[in-house]
């Protein structure tokens, strides 16, 4: 039975408070949220207090040098994100019925996704529908899955992770990883490099090269080469990891097809082993619960047609 309080709640709630609360959580603090929104800290603090009073629950623990979202706050944040995702779709949904296909496609992707097949779909779609706009946001794989689950993007491209129930994940392409060094490394100009030369070498690493992580096969490659345990540098961004390899902070693993250009121009050199290299899948992630605009639905249809007609072996980059 719905109580009078529950009946009045949506009418008493200032919906702007939900947006402010969402930003506070995502910015991990009131001062950073104030900077993000261009408001003063007391304004944000007051808005948060009003929302807590309306909701009847403490949402954030506010102590010096501590920021913690309560259980009630986490539940509310998930709902706020879903509401934000639904509202963000409105402009594209309202474009329905125009003579030319219009709207916007928001893609959230891990760094340095290089796929000729996906780029081909993108080219064909925007050529056919020039009035549709596209945006790309780079993020970490776990954040990508969260955002797609919250209905805050059209689609995501990321590494393999445990997908929440209800999301759809298709293998977009696969890539082989190998070990590389930069031109300042002692092995760069050596004619023949036996695998034993890598034992004890310093290295740089992706943050997801952990046991059970999406790049665990790469971690096993490092163990196979007996690289020194621990790392001299770490990043979630492929471009920055490449920078550290070139700067000789340590050797590191990169997708072979991504590193090829740098190898060709003499900025990277592949190191052993050269056989039985780890194969990693990159996924196209969508949310079937999302009310797709015509532009989003059309683009995803083209993506899935490509996945069905192009064999996975052809989408495996060596």
């Amino acid at each position: 039975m719905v109580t009078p309080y529950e009946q009045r709640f949506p009418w008493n709630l200032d919906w702007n408070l939900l947006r402010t609360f969402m930003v506070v959580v995502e910015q991990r603090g009131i001062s950073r949220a104030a900077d993000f929104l261009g408001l003063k800290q007391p304004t944000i603090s007051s808005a948060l207090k009003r929302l807590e009073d309306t909701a009847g629950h403490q949402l954030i623990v506010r102590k010096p040098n501590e920021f913690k979202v309560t259980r009630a706050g986490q539940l509310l944040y998930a709902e706020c994100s879903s509401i934000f995702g639904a509202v963000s779709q409105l402009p594209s949904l309202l474009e329905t019925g125009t003579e030319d296909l219009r709207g916007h496609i928001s893609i959230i992707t891990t760094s340095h996704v290089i796929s000729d097949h996906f780029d081909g779909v993108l080219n064909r779609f925007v050529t056919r529908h020039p009035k549709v706009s596209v945006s790309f946001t780079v993020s970490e794989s776990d954040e990508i899955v969260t955002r797609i689950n919250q209905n805050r993007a059209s689609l995501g491209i990321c590494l393999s992770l445990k997908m929440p129930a209800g999301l759809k994940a298709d293998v977009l392409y696969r890539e082989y990883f190998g070990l590389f060094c930069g031109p300042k490394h002692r092995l760069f100009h050596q004619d023949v490099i036996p695998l034993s030369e890598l034992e004890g070498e310093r290295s740089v690493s992706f943050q997801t090269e952990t046991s059970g992580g999406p790049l665990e096969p790469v971690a096993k490659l490092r163990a196979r080469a007996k690289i020194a345990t621990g790392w001299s540098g770490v990043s979630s961004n492929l471009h920055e990891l490449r920078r550290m390899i070139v700067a000789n902070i340590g050797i590191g693993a990169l997708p072979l097809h991504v590193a090829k250009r740098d190898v060709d121009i003499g900025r990277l050199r592949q190191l052993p082993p050269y056989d039985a290299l780890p194969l990693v899948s990159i996924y196209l992630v969508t949310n079937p619960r999302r009310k797709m605009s015509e532009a989003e639905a059309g683009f995803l249809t083209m993506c899935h047609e490509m996945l069905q007609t192009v064999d996975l072996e052809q989408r495996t980059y060596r």
Side-chain angles (χ1 to χ4, degrees):
M1 180 178 180
V2 179
T3 66
Y5 166 77
E6 292 171 332
Q7 288 179 324
R8 292 193 303 270
F9 182 80
W11 301 100
N12 294 338
L13 177 66
D14 181 348
W15 291 71
N16 287 323
L17 300 179
L18 298 179
R19 182 187 62 176
T20 301
F21 171 69
M22 186 181 73
V23 173
V24 170
V25 174
E26 293 181 349
Q27 295 296 314
R28 301 291 300 171
I30 290 175
S31 60
R32 286 194 289 267
D35 291 339
F36 182 88
L37 293 171
L39 301 172
K40 295 182 179 180
Q41 289 188 38
T43 302
I44 301 297
S45 296
S46 175
L48 182 57
K49 179 65 167 57
R50 287 170 55 203
L51 181 59
E52 289 179 326
D53 289 344
T54 303
H57 295 278
Q58 183 180 15
L59 304 174
I60 293 176
V61 176
R62 300 180 287 282
K63 294 181 180 178
N65 301 319
E66 181 182 359
F67 178 87
K68 181 181 179 182
V69 183
T70 65
R71 173 63 176 161
Q74 292 172 358
L75 293 172
L76 182 59
Y77 171 72
E79 294 303 318
C80 288
S81 296
S82 296
I83 293 170
F84 182 87
V87 172
S88 67
Q89 288 184 262
L90 291 178
S92 292
L93 292 174
L94 293 175
E95 295 287 357
T96 301
T98 56
E99 183 175 349
D100 297 321
L101 188 64
R102 300 171 183 264
H104 182 75
I105 299 169
S106 57
I107 301 171
I108 182 167
T109 176
T110 189
S111 70
H112 263 64
V113 164
I114 297 181
S115 166
D116 291 340
H117 294 94
F118 180 76
D119 291 349
V121 173
L122 194 61
N123 172 259
R124 292 192 296 275
F125 184 82
V126 298
T127 300
R128 189 178 303 172
H129 306 293
K131 294 184 179 180
V132 174
S133 59
V134 181
S135 65
F136 280 84
T137 301
V138 177
S139 191
E140 298 178 25
S141 291
D142 56 352
E143 178 64 17
I144 292 170
V145 171
T146 297
R147 291 300 178 96
I148 297 300
N149 195 41
Q150 293 172 344
N151 197 26
R152 294 178 63 178
S154 307
L155 59 96
I157 303 174
C158 65
L159 294 166
S160 172
L161 291 169
K162 183 178 180 181
M163 295 291 167
L167 293 190
K168 186 175 186 293
D170 298 288
V171 177
L172 180 61
Y173 68 92
R174 299 186 300 183
E175 56 188 11
Y176 283 95
F177 274 73
L179 296 171
F180 293 86
C181 70
K184 296 181 176 63
H185 193 274
R186 65 180 181 85
L187 297 175
F188 190 85
H189 297 288
Q190 186 168 311
D191 290 338
V192 179
I193 305 173
L195 181 59
S196 59
E197 287 274 17
L198 273 61
E199 185 172 350
E201 278 291 317
R202 295 185 310 160
S203 67
V204 296
S205 169
F206 286 103
Q207 289 178 337
T208 48
E209 289 180 39
T210 57
S211 177
L215 287 182
E216 182 180 10
V218 177
K220 292 180 178 179
L221 175 66
R222 295 156 59 86
R224 178 182 168 192
K226 297 183 180 179
I227 295 171
T229 56
W231 38 258
S232 300
V234 66
S235 177
S236 61
N237 186 289
L238 188 148
H239 179 76
E240 299 307 324
L241 195 77
R242 169 194 167 278
R243 183 200 304 275
M244 289 189 285
I245 295 172
V246 172
N248 199 29
I249 294 175
I251 64 176
L254 296 170
L256 299 187
H257 77 294
V258 175
K260 182 180 184 304
R261 181 175 180 275
D262 282 317
V263 171
D264 291 344
I265 64 176
R267 287 184 63 81
L268 290 173
R269 177 174 178 177
Q270 188 177 356
L271 300 170
Y274 305 112
D275 63 326
L277 295 177
L279 182 60
V280 175
S281 295
I282 306 298
Y283 287 84
L284 178 70
V285 183
T286 54
N287 188 341
R289 300 186 304 276
R290 182 177 178 86
K291 185 176 176 59
M292 294 287 177
S293 67
E294 288 186 346
E296 291 173 324
F299 181 67
L300 285 174
T301 295
M302 288 185 67
C303 286
H304 288 131
E305 287 175 350
M306 182 273 290
L307 296 181
Q308 292 169 2
T309 56
V310 180
D311 187 79
L312 181 58
E313 191 63 25
Q314 293 179 258
R315 292 182 275 119
T316 299
Y317 302 137
R318 305 181 188 280

